[in-house]
Amino acid sequence: MSDLDVVIVNWNGGALLRDCLAGLAASEGADRLAVTVVDNASTDASLDHLPALPFPFRVIRNADNLGFGRACNQGAAAGTAPAILFLNPDARVEPDALPRARAALLGEPGWGIVGARLVEPDGQTARSCARAPRPLAMLGRAFALDRIGLVPPHFLRDWDHGQDRAVDQVMGAFLMIRRDLFAALGGFDERFFVYYEDVDLCLRARQAGYAVRHLAGPAARHLGQGTTRQAKARRLFYILRSEILYAAKHHGRLAALGLTAAAFCGQIPLRLAQALARRSVTEAGEVLRAARLLAAALPEIAPAILRA
């Protein structure tokens, strides 16, 4: 029996995955961990030459890329510990982070999810906690109105993340949740292929009466976009797709239709203009490719919008 199940979803993580596992191996109480890596059809030999590990370790190999939320659910189902940590392969935990976070989570009956302080490569604490997205704020951010202060930014940039506090959402790069709560919520919503699945899970946990907490003490170094930076067009496409699906699920049809229009009339033209201003033909091509992917996906996501 383990004290904590750690689930890592890997897609061409390469050396990042090995460094992540090395951090877990150096953790306090590492022998009480159980670690599952769910590999989403990597093609880079990510799982070759892994370090010796002091904990039970399993790999689930998917023949296709099933997405982050679905892969997380696979990994969680393989364990039995009272707490589950979803950890990105581009994150390396500090030695005391896991026992401190687990003790905090399970020591407070009203706490459902905790996140650690994420440290960027330059040593700065990341502004990783976020506000629950509201329809008008989502629409405003699509037109970059957060840049001029007319709507609040998604992330809590005005707070230094130096204290423990309740928040709307912690980032899925380090998200620890009670297993019984995760089961009661039905896990991650697999309609979100990637992005917004952590936003949705945190909202549903709070709606169930549990607190979502940022912990300033436990820390992890986080590269950020460690694997998705390989596929910029698909990254933008999935962000836009997930925003629309989230709006449909939590804010209704009009919000989802508004965000769909804002994607094509706001976000994509603005990103294209920025790319052209930087004279980056490659970046402009990625933006146009994302637009084509989103247009092609509209028949697939239309039922979710119309049912909202």
Side-chain angles (χ1 to χ4, degrees), residues 8-22 37 39 42-51 89-90 226-227 230:
I8 303 168
V9 176
N10 179 62
W11 179 71
N12 295 326
L16 294 174
L17 175 63
R18 290 187 284 276
D19 191 47
C20 177
L21 291 171
V37 172
D39 188 78
S42 294
T43 58
D44 69 340
S46 295
L47 302 178
D48 294 348
H49 310 298
L50 295 179
D90 61 350
T227 57
Q230 306 170 54

Side-chain angles (χ1 to χ4, degrees), residues 106-212:
L106 299 184
E108 294 287 346
W111 293 10
I113 294 174
V114 298
R117 183 170 55 87
L118 300 179
V119 180
E120 296 176 338
D122 62 1
Q124 298 294 313
T125 295
R127 279 27 175 192
S128 58
C129 297
R131 298 172 173 86
R134 304 291 182 188
L136 290 179
M138 295 176 79
L139 285 169
R141 288 193 288 269
F143 291 94
L145 298 184
D146 55 321
R147 305 284 181 89
I148 56 175
L150 294 182
V151 297
H154 178 61
F155 291 101
L156 298 175
R157 297 174 185 163
D158 55 344
W159 168 51
D160 67 2
H161 289 56
Q163 310 86 32
D164 295 1
R165 62 174 272 190
V167 294
D168 287 347
Q169 181 227 328
V170 298
M171 187 179 287
F174 185 117
L175 188 153
M176 189 180 293
I177 185 171
R178 294 173 177 271
R179 176 174 289 279
D180 55 358
L181 174 60
F182 189 73
L185 296 176
F188 284 107
D189 187 335
E190 296 180 3
R191 288 175 292 182
F192 301 101
F193 186 87
V194 66
Y195 301 116
Y196 276 78
E197 70 291 316
D198 51 354
V199 186
D200 171 74
L201 185 72
C202 288
L203 176 61
R204 290 187 288 126
R206 291 190 297 109
Q207 289 173 338
Y210 287 86
V212 176

